[in-house]
Amino acid sequence: MGKKIAIVGAGAVGSKVGGHMLANGEDVTFIDGWPDHVEKINKDGLYMTGNTPEEEMTVQGRALHLTDVQELAKEDPIDIAFVSMKSYDTEWATQLIKPYLAPDGFIVSLQNCMNEEFIAAIVGWGKVMGTIAAKISVQMPGPGHVHRNGPIMGNSHTVFRVGEPHGRITPRAEEVAQLCGYCDSYLVTTNLWGERWTKLVMNSSSNPMAAASGLSSTAISEDADLRKVKIHLAAEAIEVGRAAGFNLEKLHGIDCGQWTKALDGDKAAYAEIEEDYIEMGKKGNPDGRPSMGQDMQKGRRTEIDFMNGLVCMKAREFGLKTPVNDGIVEAVKMVEKDPSKATPDLVKGLLP
């Protein structure tokens, strides 16, 4: 497309999306704080794998250490910067790339949670866009290597949803969507905030489950009590999202109202959700974990405050109670300090 692109945060999602841009001839510069990863990309390229032979490829690219970002001052400015960092790193990452943006350049939040407001406080709302990546399921087995655990979704599920904060369809939103589309299916949405909260419902009912239980997504899906905790987490987040006025999208093709019905005793709704959880657990890598589960394995800080913590905070604003989300926040924080406490029973104990 002829644009200069920066990926600020070449973790699993940033590397996967940026890698496919490189494979399609785009001008991409990775910026990351993992020295070995940066060196590996510069020396040998970025190695990408998945569940099929067709996904295996190595793309040659350029990566900068955080201390070398100042080199961008000698070059043409950045047209599009994708911030793909953990939520708690959003603000400093935005400050890092801000001086190198073109006059009409902008920043795309390619992250979990809801970070557009943090970015806008630094660069202004006119330079902010959001992109939700749902069911991309990627991890970093090592430096210079990104692996996709789940299947390529294609027409079965739209992975990337790109939107402007003001909700209008714009040429730049369409351009960003096409860039993400090198990796998998995409659309431009007029409902960024509803899409964001819908993804938050998905994340808040899966990420902390893996972190606090120590189990893979597949193992969680096979346990009836753990599935019940997931349903409670999602139902609470859905109630808060609706109170906030968000237009929630379907979850895995199921109307969000089904979660509320399930907890109100609707056996058909409960069975529909359970069947979906079980079927999703059968897809992809049986040992695959969402990002928070991966964080625990690697001894990193999680995004629990920006995920379930946000659900709990918003609930208090509307006078709502979220006991299971409150409990999972405490459980994850406890496990962050002592990983040996991660057990399925810790999570099952949250059931009312």
Side-chain angles (χ1 to χ4, degrees):
M1 293 181 177
K3 296 294 177 69
K4 189 169 183 179
I5 301 164
I7 306 290
V8 187
V13 173
S15 290
K16 182 66 174 174
V17 175
H20 281 277
M21 291 181 198
L22 280 172
N24 285 273
E26 299 294 345
D27 181 357
V28 177
T29 297
F30 293 110
I31 299 169
D32 199 69
W34 184 11
D36 291 347
H37 185 46
V38 171
E39 294 297 329
K40 186 70 172 176
I41 292 174
N42 287 331
K43 180 183 177 182
D44 300 322
L46 177 64
Y47 180 48
M48 299 192 292
T49 55
N51 293 315
T52 62
E54 293 76 18
E55 294 175 77
E56 183 175 358
M57 68 179 81
T58 298
V59 292
Q60 300 303 316
R62 175 201 189 197
L64 295 177
H65 296 286
L66 296 179
T67 52
D68 293 332
V69 172
Q70 59 187 313
E71 293 180 10
L72 295 174
K74 305 173 185 177
E75 306 171 7
D76 291 336
I78 300 296
D79 296 302
I80 306 173
F82 288 83
V83 169
S84 192
M85 308 285 282
K86 294 294 184 182
S87 295
Y88 47 76
D89 289 327
T90 300
E91 289 163 300
W92 71 257
T94 302
Q95 292 282 13
L96 180 71
I97 199 64
K98 176 184 175 181
Y100 309 106
L101 290 175
D104 59 349
F106 57 94
I107 294 177
V108 181
S109 171
L110 180 60
Q111 303 168 275
N112 285 329
C113 311
M114 302 179 79
N115 298 305
E116 286 82 0
E117 188 170 356
F118 299 128
I119 297 171
I122 296 168
V123 298
W125 279 109
K127 287 183 171 291
V128 181
M129 194 181 302
T131 294
I132 296 97
K135 296 188 182 179
I136 191 169
S137 186
V138 286
Q139 69 179 71
M140 302 286 293
H145 180 193
V146 59
H147 178 79
R148 186 166 184 180
N149 290 307
I152 296 173
M153 290 298 175
N155 294 330
S156 66
H157 170 78
T158 304
V159 175
F160 298 100
R161 291 109 190 280
V162 179
E164 295 272 12
H166 50 60
R168 297 190 296 273
I169 302 294
T170 62
R172 72 176 192 174
E174 293 174 334
E175 183 175 28
V176 168
Q178 290 171 24
L179 287 169
C180 293
Y182 291 137
C183 181
D184 209 326
S185 51
Y186 67 92
L187 60 77
V188 179
T189 180
T190 58
N191 184 31
L192 175 64
W193 304 114
E195 295 273 13
R196 272 284 183 220
W197 196 270
T198 302
K199 175 68 186 298
L200 187 71
V201 172
M202 293 173 61
N203 280 337
S204 63
S205 59
S206 59
N207 271 273
M209 295 288 296
S213 71
L215 298 179
S216 69
S217 297
T218 296
I220 291 169
S221 73
E222 294 171 346
D223 187 298
D225 286 336
L226 293 178
R227 292 195 301 270
K228 188 173 183 179
V229 176
K230 285 189 65 171
I231 292 173
H232 275 271
L233 288 170
E236 289 180 0
I238 288 167
E239 183 181 14
V240 174
R242 286 179 163 172
F246 295 124
N247 179 21
L248 301 183
E249 303 285 342
K250 290 184 177 181
L251 286 167
H252 305 169
I254 302 173
D255 188 272
C256 284
Q258 292 295 89
W259 273 260
T260 304
K261 291 180 181 178
L263 292 191
D264 287 341
D266 188 320
K267 293 182 179 179
Y270 198 98
E272 181 183 17
I273 296 167
E274 275 214 305
E275 181 181 357
D276 176 69
Y277 285 165
I278 293 169
E279 287 304 309
M280 285 300 300
K282 295 177 181 178
K283 298 178 180 179
N285 181 357
D287 194 44
R289 286 164 168 76
S291 60
M292 203 178 288
Q294 295 176 40
D295 290 338
M296 283 297 187
Q297 287 183 316
K298 297 177 180 179
R300 298 186 304 222
R301 178 186 175 187
T302 73
E303 293 180 293
I304 190 67
D305 288 327
F306 295 83
M307 200 170 288
N308 300 74
L310 178 61
V311 172
C312 300
M313 182 185 74
K314 287 293 184 184
R316 290 192 291 271
E317 290 180 13
F318 298 110
L320 300 174
K321 296 185 182 300
T322 51
V324 183
N325 275 275
D326 293 342
I328 203 76
V329 170
E330 292 182 9
V332 170
K333 289 189 173 184
M334 180 174 66
V335 174
E336 281 183 321
K337 295 179 180 178
D338 184 358
S340 68
K341 293 185 177 180
T343 65
D345 286 341
L346 175 64
V347 178
K348 293 178 184 181
L350 301 177
L351 286 172

